[in-house]
Amino acid sequence: MAKSITHNREQWQSKWGFILASAGSAVGLGNFWRFSYLVGMNGGAAFVLVYLASVLVIGVPLMIAEFLLGKLTGLSIVSAFRKISGNRKLWVALGLIGVVASFVTLGYYAVIGGWVVGYLGQSLSGNLPRDPATADAAFRIFSTTPALQIVWYTLFSWIVATIVSRGVRAGIEKYNRILMLMFLMLLTGMAIYALTLPGAREALSFMFKFDASKITPLVTLLAVGHTFFSLSLGAGIMIAYGSYLPKKITLPFASIVISVIDVIVALLAGLVIFSIVFSFGLFPDSGTGIAFVTLPPLFAVMPGGTWLATIFFFMLAAAAITSAVSILEVVAVYLMDEWKVSRQVSTWGSAIAIYLFGLIWTANDITLVDKIAGGYLLVLGALAVALLVGWVVPLSNLAKLLQTKATHPVLRGFYFLNRYLIPITLVWLLLSGTF
Ligand code: PFF
């Protein structure tokens, strides 16, 4: 299947370009609103600790597994599953879960991306609401009135599609490099500033003062569940990015670097948000509302707040764009690999379809769709990846790709995790329905 396309497949220009693009996918809105409200509502440091463990034991091995599948086949999720399973229908269907998850997730992710761009515009014009009640009312009206969002949503979607339409090197890699480097610099600056705020101490102790009694099964499930969304696993993104890899690359190293960047960004973002929120005696548990309801009035009354708000929303927009790019790439490359359509046709075709579908979320609450697509479907996709690598791909192939011996203890550990521990944990997660 798709032999000729595999043959001419684009490749990343450099190792760091690939690492930044993958980190750009992982670092996104999830690091800001999802991570901070999960920490806020689930015991602070207890959640952080379980999350770190989950990234290490489940996230990193799964990321390596996704990269391996992409590199092994030189194909994206559905075609890769087809090739490895010998064209078995069940596996093709499982691969399609990733494409569906990406399609649906991007629909609402781009709507939130539109809100971010809209708030960036408001910050630039110095028009942020000055008190919580106004902020709350303004957000409620904005987020349920399509006419108010349409310009921002269209702009966000257009930027994302334009980047993807330019291809792997001239689009995805180039813009990730620019946006991610700017993002990391601005976030570091903002985190240093946050440390000077009166609420910094409270923020640090909230995030790092560990209380073992707060680790409950629920906290564990939520922390494990967040791993997939945050590291962009289960949707086939890292399979697609892995399929553009040149021969020589150490995947475990790359996966660890990407995961460490993602975790550090989440912690720094938490530090920034909690420091500001605690400085005003508030509590960071308002979910999606943190960025759009809790923070704007605080920015409006802080010294230099207009600047801070502008930087904050610019960072958020950059992070959202690089993630949305990776999600669109899954759908676009699926059409290219399976249906042999050109990049232009596949990108603009899928972007327009997703855009039209996403309009639903300019008028409706995203909680349910986030739970289904960003929760269930990603976990199902991740389960399929672990089972494929743990049970279908021969260990000797994995060893060859990782340039090591089949008896190497680290490879054995990786194999064990994908064969047993990860699938069992994921089934537990699916049965519990906690996302
Ligand atoms: N990892 C990104 C974030 O944390 O915002 C977004 C994301 C990408 C979520 C891909 C889900 C997904 F399938």
Side-chain angles (χ1 to χ4, degrees), residues 253-264:
F253 170 77
S255 307
I256 289 171
V257 173
I258 295 159
S259 305
V260 167
I261 294 178
D262 189 60
V263 166
I264 291 179

Side-chain angles (χ1 to χ4, degrees), residues 98-111 153 156-157 160-161 164 324-333 335 346-362:
V99 180
V100 173
S102 300
F103 189 99
V104 179
T105 305
L106 187 53
Y108 69 89
Y109 201 84
V111 170
Y153 174 57
F156 183 87
S157 307
V160 171
V164 174
V325 159
S326 70
I327 311 179
L328 179 58
E329 178 65 7
V330 172
V331 185
V333 74
L335 294 176
S346 67
T347 306
W348 289 105
S350 44
I352 291 169
I354 293 169
Y355 173 84
L356 293 174
F357 172 73
L359 284 171
I360 300 173
W361 316 116
T362 58

Side-chain angles (χ1 to χ4, degrees), residues 9-15 17-27 63 66-72 74-77 160 163-164 167-169 171-176 180 231-232 235-246 249 251 258 321-331 333 337 343:
R9 208 171 188 79
E10 264 200 275
Q11 285 191 346
W12 302 107
Q13 191 162 11
S14 75
K15 180 170 99 182
F18 154 70
I19 290 179
L20 273 182
S22 307
S25 170
V27 169
M63 192 182 289
E66 287 210 9
F67 285 145
L68 273 173
L69 291 179
K71 195 178 169 197
L72 182 69
L75 293 165
S76 56
I77 186 161
V160 171
I163 295 176
V164 174
V168 176
R169 279 191 190 187
I172 302 175
E173 185 169 354
K174 179 174 157 194
Y175 289 95
N176 261 290
M180 277 306 284
L231 292 177
S232 301
I237 292 174
M238 299 309 182
I239 300 182
Y241 280 15
S243 74
Y244 309 130
L245 278 169
I249 176 114
L251 289 177
I258 295 159
I321 288 170
T322 52
S323 297
V325 159
S326 70
I327 311 179
L328 179 58
E329 178 65 7
V330 172
V331 185
V333 74
D337 283 351
R343 177 169 281 275

Side-chain angles (χ1 to χ4, degrees), residues 21 28 36 65 67 172 261 301 342 372 384 397 433:
S36 49
F67 285 145
I172 302 175
I261 294 178
V301 296
S342 73
I372 295 172
N397 281 10

Side-chain angles (χ1 to χ4, degrees), residues 95-272:
L96 274 169
I97 291 178
V99 180
V100 173
S102 300
F103 189 99
V104 179
T105 305
L106 187 53
Y108 69 89
Y109 201 84
V111 170
I112 310 179
W115 297 347
V116 173
V117 181
Y119 273 69
L120 173 61
Q122 258 188 45
S123 316
L124 275 169
S125 63
N127 263 341
L128 289 172
R130 298 190 74 82
D131 62 89
T134 320
D136 192 40
F139 178 63
R140 239 174 255 266
I141 294 172
F142 180 65
S143 62
T144 50
T145 315
L148 295 175
Q149 299 164 59
I150 209 85
V151 174
W152 309 114
Y153 174 57
T154 309
L155 179 64
F156 183 87
S157 307
W158 177 78
I159 295 173
V160 171
T162 304
I163 295 176
V164 174
S165 73
R166 300 204 171 157
V168 176
R169 279 191 190 187
I172 302 175
E173 185 169 354
K174 179 174 157 194
Y175 289 95
N176 261 290
R177 221 182 268 234
I178 301 170
L179 290 171
M180 277 306 284
L181 291 178
M182 266 163 60
F183 170 87
L184 291 172
M185 268 164 38
L186 291 174
L187 181 64
T188 311
M190 246 191 138
I192 294 172
Y193 171 77
L195 284 174
T196 67
L197 294 173
R201 234 165 204 275
E202 206 178 332
L204 285 172
S205 83
F206 179 64
M207 283 170 70
F208 296 111
K209 217 167 131 208
F210 174 65
D211 173 359
S213 71
K214 290 198 172 143
I215 299 185
T216 61
L218 180 68
V219 166
T220 311
L221 284 166
L222 287 169
V224 175
H226 182 60
T227 313
F228 310 98
F229 190 94
S230 187
L231 292 177
S232 301
L233 298 172
I237 292 174
M238 299 309 182
I239 300 182
Y241 280 15
S243 74
Y244 309 130
L245 278 169
K247 287 280 160 287
K248 279 208 181 79
I249 176 114
T250 12
L251 289 177
F253 170 77
S255 307
I256 289 171
V257 173
I258 295 159
S259 305
V260 167
I261 294 178
D262 189 60
V263 166
I264 291 179
V265 167
L267 294 176
L268 291 182
L271 176 69
V272 169

